[in-house]
């Protein structure tokens, strides 16, 4: 997959997992407890053992050290996502049920500001859920998303509208996940990518 | 019916109606990409609303509530990924007709790649020609 | 409350039937995969409504399993299609563009 896959050295297998894998293991244990619906000691110990086994057998590409996410930004991002999900769902539902022709559509190239894989992935994921767009393809080297969008207004302006909403959403994602990046330009977001090499 | 029952009823019915709209969109929209719009957004919100309506009824049972929360969270995370994968496969295998599009920046990009203007980018080619080149 | 869940199940049944029509009509594998995805999601809604209707949580694990399965199935289909079936509908393919792309490295 990614070049990072090779850096999970074989020597790590069977020994203690890498420090960077602790978050994902914690998440596994939490998920395990949720699935069992209890937090009794047996379940927790079983979850920890399962997490160890999974990390040892299927070593995940570890993410580079990410900038510390901002809680306030994340809450704000979540609120925007919920609001936009509501708006775009109702919009698409209305297009589906209204009489008359279905709307036209377009594929728009939307450049992103950050080059970090994690940021591109987060933005793309949220965008295909949210404002009337669907990610068709991603060009990582130039950081460009190709989005399929429903034309709601003027067909001439669809590209600018989509690019503006992508830019706003990316700013929110960066504000939530890499708060330094907005302040210092894209340098921090680029560093995430550099650190991987 | 108590007040919570009313809340639950509204959530269940609106969620079901959104799912119905998704179904109508799946049937009515002309190409794969537009159907993915219908299949992603109203569908996810509809499922979340239905789950919320069920949660309201199950509140005393903590484990069931947590399990349903996981279902909703999982859907929220995977639906965009799945829709992106399908949309990209539709584009790369060339099965989606593109002559109806108002604007097609991706075609422009492909032509530029073919002309060698983006040496660092891997052009989003069809799998067919690329497989030939490798074999 | 029983009336509400009945109505919700009826709406979901109609939605599922519409999606099944798309599932049968296709026309491509990817359309069917997308339809199957939506069908699983509607099935999830239906099972959830059933949980509310019965007031029993025996079906909650079914919900969890289905929500995981729907994603895995569409990923599997996409991988399969990407490898096996580059063009299932040749008549929808833009030949001139194909040629243009192939002539250049």
């Amino acid at each position: 997959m990614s070049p990072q896959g090779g850096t999970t050295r074989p020597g790590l297998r069977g020994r203690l997992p890498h420090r960077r894998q602790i978050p994902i293991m914690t998440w596994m244990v939490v998920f395990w407890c949720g699935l069992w619906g209890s937090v009794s000691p047996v379940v927790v110990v079983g979850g920890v053992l399962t997490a160890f086994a999974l990390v040892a057998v299927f070593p995940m590409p570890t993410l580079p050290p990410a900038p510390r996410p901002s809680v306030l930004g994340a809450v704000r991002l979540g609120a925007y996502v919920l609001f936009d999900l509501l708006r775009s769902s109702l919009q698409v539902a209305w297009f589906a049920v209204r009489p008359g022709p279905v709307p036209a559509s377009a594929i728009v190239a939307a450049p992103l500001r950050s080059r970090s894989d994690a940021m591109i992935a987060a933005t793309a994921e949220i965008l295909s859920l949210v404002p009337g767009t669907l990610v068709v393809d991603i060009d990582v080297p130039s950081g460009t998303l190709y989005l399929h969008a429903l034309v709601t207004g003027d067909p001439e302006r669809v590209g600018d509208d989509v690019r503006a909403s992508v830019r706003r959403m990316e700013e929110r994602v960066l504000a939530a996940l890499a708060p330094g990046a907005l302040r210092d330009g894209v340098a921090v977001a680029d560093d995430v990518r550099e650190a991987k090499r | 019916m108590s007040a919570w029952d009313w809340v639950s009823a509204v959530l269940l019915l609106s969620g079901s109606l959104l799912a119905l709209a998704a179904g109508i969109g799946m049937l009515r929209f002309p190409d794969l990409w537009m159907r993915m719009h219908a299949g992603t957004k109203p569908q996810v919100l509809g499922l979340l609303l239905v789950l919320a309506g069920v949660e309201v009824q199950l509140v005393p049972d903590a484990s069931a509530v947590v399990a349903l929360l996981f279902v909703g969270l999982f859907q929220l995370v995977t639906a965009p990924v799945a829709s992106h994968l399908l949309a990209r496969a539709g584009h790369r295998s060339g099965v989606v007709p593109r002559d109806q599009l108002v604007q097609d920046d991706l075609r422009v990009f492909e032509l530029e790649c073919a002309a060698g203007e983006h040496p660092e980018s891997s052009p989003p080619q069809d799998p067919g020609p690329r497989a030939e080149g490798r074999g | 409350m029983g009336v509400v869940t009945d109505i919700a199940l009826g709406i979901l049944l109609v939605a599922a039937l519409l999606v099944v029509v798309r599932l049968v009509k296709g026309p491509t594998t990817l359309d069917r995969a997308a339809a199957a995805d939506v069908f699983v999601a509607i099935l999830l809604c239906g099972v959830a409504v059933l949980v509310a209707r019965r007031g029993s949580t025996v079906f909650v694990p079914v919900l969890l399993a289905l929500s995981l399965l729907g994603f895995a199935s569409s990923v599997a289909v996409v991988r399969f299609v990407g490898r096996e079936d580059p063009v299932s509908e040749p008549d929808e393919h833009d030949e001139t563009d194909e040629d243009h792309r192939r002539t250049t490295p």
Side-chain angles (χ1 to χ4, degrees):
Chain A
M1 283 260 306
S2 75
Q4 195 66 19
T7 60
T8 311
R9 289 171 294 279
L12 280 178
R13 289 194 196 178
R15 278 200 257 149
L16 281 180
H18 193 273
R19 193 162 45 86
R20 281 190 203 157
Q21 283 173 332
I22 286 177
I24 194 166
M25 290 176 63
T26 314
W27 173 233
M28 282 179 190
V29 174
V30 169
F31 199 81
W32 176 269
C33 292
L35 292 185
W36 278 99
S38 76
V39 280
S40 71
V42 180
V43 173
V44 174
V45 171
V48 172
L49 289 180
T50 313
F52 269 98
L54 281 175
V55 171
V57 178
F58 306 107
M60 293 273 285
T62 49
L63 282 173
R68 183 177 296 275
S70 126
V71 176
L72 185 66
V75 170
R76 201 178 289 160
L77 176 69
Y80 273 117
V81 167
L82 278 185
F83 175 71
D84 276 352
L85 177 62
L86 194 68
R87 205 169 49 114
S88 68
S89 295
L90 294 179
Q91 190 189 40
V92 175
W94 169 241
F95 283 142
V97 297
R98 73 168 183 188
V102 292
S105 52
I107 293 186
V108 178
L112 292 179
R113 291 168 57 185
S114 76
R115 295 285 178 278
S116 138
D117 285 350
M119 297 302 141
I120 291 179
T123 312
E125 160 114 345
I126 288 173
L127 278 174
S128 56
L129 199 58
V130 170
T133 51
L134 179 72
V135 179
V136 174
D137 217 323
I138 305 174
D139 182 45
V140 176
S142 66
T144 309
L145 294 182
Y146 291 91
L147 301 157
H148 181 265
L150 298 175
V151 179
T152 52
D154 184 5
E156 295 290 317
R157 293 195 36 226
V158 62
D160 293 333
D161 289 349
V162 168
R163 276 186 278 272
S165 77
V166 167
R167 172 163 284 263
R168 278 199 303 276
M169 188 51 78
E170 195 197 10
E171 271 169 15
R172 286 176 205 139
V173 171
L174 286 178
L177 299 181
L182 276 181
R183 206 173 45 240
D184 318 328
V186 290
V188 174
D190 276 337
D191 280 351
V192 178
R193 191 174 175 79
E194 292 301 319
K196 267 180 78 174
R197 298 223 170 99
Chain B
M1 281 178 30
S2 71
W4 283 117
D5 277 351
W6 281 105
V7 172
S8 167
V10 168
L11 288 172
L12 286 179
L13 287 180
S14 52
S16 308
L17 285 174
L18 275 174
L20 180 65
I24 294 173
M26 286 301 287
L27 198 59
R28 242 188 107 195
F29 284 164
D31 65 41
L32 174 70
W33 288 330
M34 296 198 60
R35 284 180 213 135
M36 299 302 311
H37 279 287
T40 314
K41 280 155 239 151
Q43 184 52 66
V44 169
L45 185 64
L47 180 57
L48 289 181
L49 289 179
V50 168
L51 287 177
V54 179
E55 301 257 23
V56 170
Q57 304 242 312
L58 294 179
V59 157
D61 187 346
S63 72
V65 168
V66 171
L68 289 190
L69 278 182
F70 275 133
V71 173
L73 189 70
F74 205 78
Q75 193 72 16
L76 208 55
V77 173
T78 57
V81 179
S83 79
H84 164 62
L85 283 176
L86 283 170
R88 195 179 62 165
H91 149 57
R92 295 200 174 180
S93 61
V95 297
V96 184
R98 288 161 79 160
D99 44 358
Q100 297 291 319
L101 294 172
V102 184
Q103 183 181 350
D104 193 347
D105 290 347
L106 193 51
R107 177 70 85 213
V108 176
F109 175 67
E110 283 167 357
L111 294 179
E112 283 175 5
C113 277
E117 285 179 33
H118 302 285
E120 78 281 10
S121 304
S122 58
Q125 269 178 341
D126 293 350
R130 209 193 287 166
E132 280 167 25
R134 231 186 274 133
Chain C
M1 206 56 217
V3 184
V4 173
T5 49
D6 278 349
I7 296 172
L9 281 177
I11 296 172
L12 289 173
L13 182 67
V14 175
L17 285 177
L18 293 177
V19 174
V20 166
V21 172
R22 173 54 65 199
L23 198 62
V24 172
K25 270 170 70 175
T28 68
T29 318
L30 290 170
D31 288 300
R32 295 199 173 90
D37 221 22
V38 176
F39 185 81
V40 169
I42 292 177
L43 203 63
L44 276 172
C45 292
V47 176
V49 173
L50 216 60
V51 169
R53 185 192 165 92
R54 298 254 173 104
S56 81
T57 55
V58 281
F59 288 127
V60 170
V62 177
L63 279 175
L64 276 168
L66 269 182
S67 70
L68 294 161
L69 211 66
F71 178 63
S73 68
S74 49
V75 171
V77 167
V78 167
R79 288 195 72 88
F80 175 73
V81 169
R83 215 173 288 158
E84 296 284 321
D85 187 18
V87 182
S88 14
E89 296 282 295
D91 48 336
E92 282 177 353
H93 218 55
D94 196 345
E95 278 303 322
T96 51
D97 254 318
E98 260 322 278
D99 292 338
H100 181 94
R101 218 180 301 162
R102 249 175 235 165
T103 47
T104 46

